[in-house]
Amino acid sequence: MSTTPQAISFPRRSMLALLCVGGVISSAPALAQFRIEVSGVGLTQMPVAVAAFRGEAQSPQKIGSIVMADLARSGIFRSVDTSGFAADETTRPDLAQWRLKGADSLVTGSVTSLADGRFDVRLRLWDVVRGIDLGGQSFAASSADLRLSAHRIADFVYEKLTGEKGIFSTRIAYVTKSGKRYTLWIADADGENAQSALASPEPIISPAWSPSGTQLAYVSFESRKPVIYSHDVATGKRRLLANFRGSNSAPAWSPDGRQVVATLSRDGGSQLYVLDANGGEPRRLTQTSSIDTEPAYSPDGKYIYFVSDRGGAPQIYRMSPTGSNAERVTFNGNYNISPALSPDGRWLAFISRVSGAFKLQVMELATGNVAQITDTSSDESPSFAPNSRLIVFATNQQGRESLMTTTLDGKIKTRLAGAGGDIREPDWGPFMR
């Protein structure tokens, strides 16, 4: 979700962020820790058994548990009990017994300490129904990278069993506000292993991953006005993308990563401009007396979706990358904001105000059919996983600020619950290259 400080209506927490400029750095918050709660039930789920990896009791991470949690969060798999079962990747299990237990697939493996301090992680995947070995993988990982190894194992299993790439080794970015301190976090796709990329006593909003996953654009108020930076994730180095007169906000990368479209007020009202990712003079895209903001490129680069109140209330429109042929996209209700396009180009997620509540909606672009997929009332900032199968969003659930993931039909939801603080504006990164 992206915002400008002008008058257009925004979800409540972003408005609070904009109003809380100032203050001093408070004591650092505890590193965000997350837990997973699956609250929905899918109609069709593959039963998979993931045994505890041999040797994981002596490793810093419980590989088998992380793999199973990843698979369950996808909504496609359900866990089969493996308690009391011991095997590793070298063992040929009695697959007939696992058929009797109702498993379609079985994952076994091991974690072994190496002389150089790293860990050797190995796995084997079995097709229980057909009684065949589907292959294995091995990784040499440092202690710090063991969780990433587990996510890569989950990616391997997911792709072998579904034919699609898994997203478990990708990352998410989000912002927390704890006291007067704002922190930009980069975390694993399950919300764990969060690392601080930037902390500031001034608001940080609108994080946006570049298509390569190497850069994060965001808006910082540290110079007491909204300014857009590009942040190198590996080195922490950053550079100014937009610091023009007035406000500079709502950055969104083009699919090729060469341009950034943003909302600038340099010439008066909030309008959309495109900037070269390496800097330079911006090119104006919209010429209206309304507020145009929250741009998002379509994956094929043929459209820029955005929010405008040109019709009297915030609605989602789209136009060509040159700024021509703007057309309205949302028609249900009088308040639709925060457009997010699925990487496969099929879906548009957005937030609607319904009876005073902010609800996550998903539109199938080919038909225009819209479905409301949450039962919460303060949803904001939807962002698709790179395989287009899940959406991460921020919300308030049972009085707790939360990051949630949901399947597109809303039947499987997972809460990535933070340890405290106001959580907002998640953005799901791309597949790692």
Side-chain angles (χ1 to χ4, degrees), residues 28-348:
L31 187 66
Q33 297 293 321
F34 290 79
R35 61 192 177 90
I36 294 172
E37 298 173 1
V38 177
S39 59
V41 178
L43 295 177
T44 303
Q45 293 177 300
M46 300 182 195
V48 58
V50 181
F53 278 38
R54 179 179 56 77
E56 73 175 21
Q58 289 75 46
S59 83
Q61 300 289 346
K62 303 298 180 275
I63 303 295
S65 298
I66 296 171
V67 172
M68 190 62 246
D70 280 349
L71 296 174
R73 198 171 63 257
S74 74
I76 295 178
F77 299 94
R78 64 177 174 83
S79 175
V80 174
D81 182 24
T82 60
S83 56
F85 175 68
D88 62 21
E89 75 283 356
T90 66
T91 307
R92 182 172 181 86
D94 182 351
L95 297 181
Q97 286 194 3
W98 288 102
R99 280 197 293 273
L100 290 175
K101 291 184 178 182
D104 283 356
S105 308
L106 172 66
V107 179
T108 59
S110 64
V111 185
T112 307
S113 297
L114 298 173
D116 62 3
R118 295 183 299 167
F119 291 87
D120 181 37
V121 184
R122 297 173 181 266
L123 82 140
R124 182 66 54 185
L125 173 63
W126 297 92
D127 184 324
V128 171
V129 176
R130 294 188 293 167
I132 60 174
D133 178 354
L134 292 178
Q137 280 191 330
S138 65
F139 305 93
S142 66
S143 175
D145 288 336
L146 273 175
R147 283 190 58 81
L148 178 58
S149 296
H151 294 319
R152 286 176 173 167
I153 290 170
D155 285 341
F156 173 82
V157 173
Y158 184 94
E159 185 165 359
K160 282 288 184 181
L161 299 180
T162 69
E164 298 180 351
K165 290 186 67 174
I167 46 80
F168 311 112
S169 61
T170 61
R171 295 171 294 179
I172 59 174
Y174 62 93
V175 177
T176 61
K177 178 177 181 290
S178 181
K180 296 180 179 179
R181 183 184 179 91
Y182 296 82
T183 306
L184 173 64
W185 300 98
I186 297 174
D188 292 355
D190 61 358
E192 298 279 358
N193 196 31
Q195 306 291 321
S196 172
L198 179 69
S200 172
E202 308 296 344
I204 305 166
I205 60 173
S206 307
W209 288 96
S210 69
S212 66
T214 61
Q215 303 283 317
L216 264 176
Y218 55 79
V219 177
S220 170
F221 285 67
E222 64 198 61
S223 55
R224 301 302 176 104
K225 60 172 286 191
V227 171
I228 301 174
Y229 287 92
S230 180
H231 188 113
D232 187 286
V233 174
T235 66
K237 294 181 179 178
R238 58 183 190 156
R239 56 190 172 83
L240 275 170
L241 277 181
N243 184 19
F244 300 101
R245 183 173 64 89
S247 68
N248 308 264
S249 62
W253 297 84
S254 61
D256 62 7
R258 296 178 177 176
Q259 296 180 320
V260 173
V261 62
T263 303
L264 308 180
S265 64
R266 53 176 283 173
D267 299 316
S270 294
Q271 295 286 283
L272 298 179
Y273 294 75
V274 65
L275 305 98
D276 189 287
N278 294 317
E281 188 67 11
R283 175 167 53 88
R284 186 167 180 170
L285 295 179
T286 55
Q287 302 273 353
T288 70
S289 58
S290 63
I291 294 174
D292 296 336
T293 188
E294 296 196 302
Y297 277 95
S298 62
D300 59 9
K302 293 182 178 178
Y303 298 103
I304 295 173
Y305 287 71
F306 62 102
V307 174
S308 177
D309 62 354
R310 62 186 63 187
Q315 294 290 347
I316 296 171
Y317 294 75
R318 71 180 183 184
M319 62 184 177
S320 77
T322 63
S324 62
N325 301 320
E327 58 181 349
R328 186 171 164 179
V329 176
T330 53
F331 293 92
N332 295 336
N334 59 6
Y335 188 98
N336 295 297
I337 62 169
S338 302
L341 282 300
S342 65
D344 64 6
R346 291 185 59 193
W347 309 96
L348 170 70

Side-chain angles (χ1 to χ4, degrees), residues 12-13 375-378 395-404 415 417-423:
R12 58 182 177 78
R13 286 180 284 180
D375 55 9
T376 43
S377 59
S378 300
T395 192
N396 184 301
Q397 187 186 46
Q398 299 174 339
R400 295 178 56 186
E401 305 292 338
S402 300
L403 292 181
M404 301 283 294
R415 185 168 71 186
D422 192 4
I423 303 172

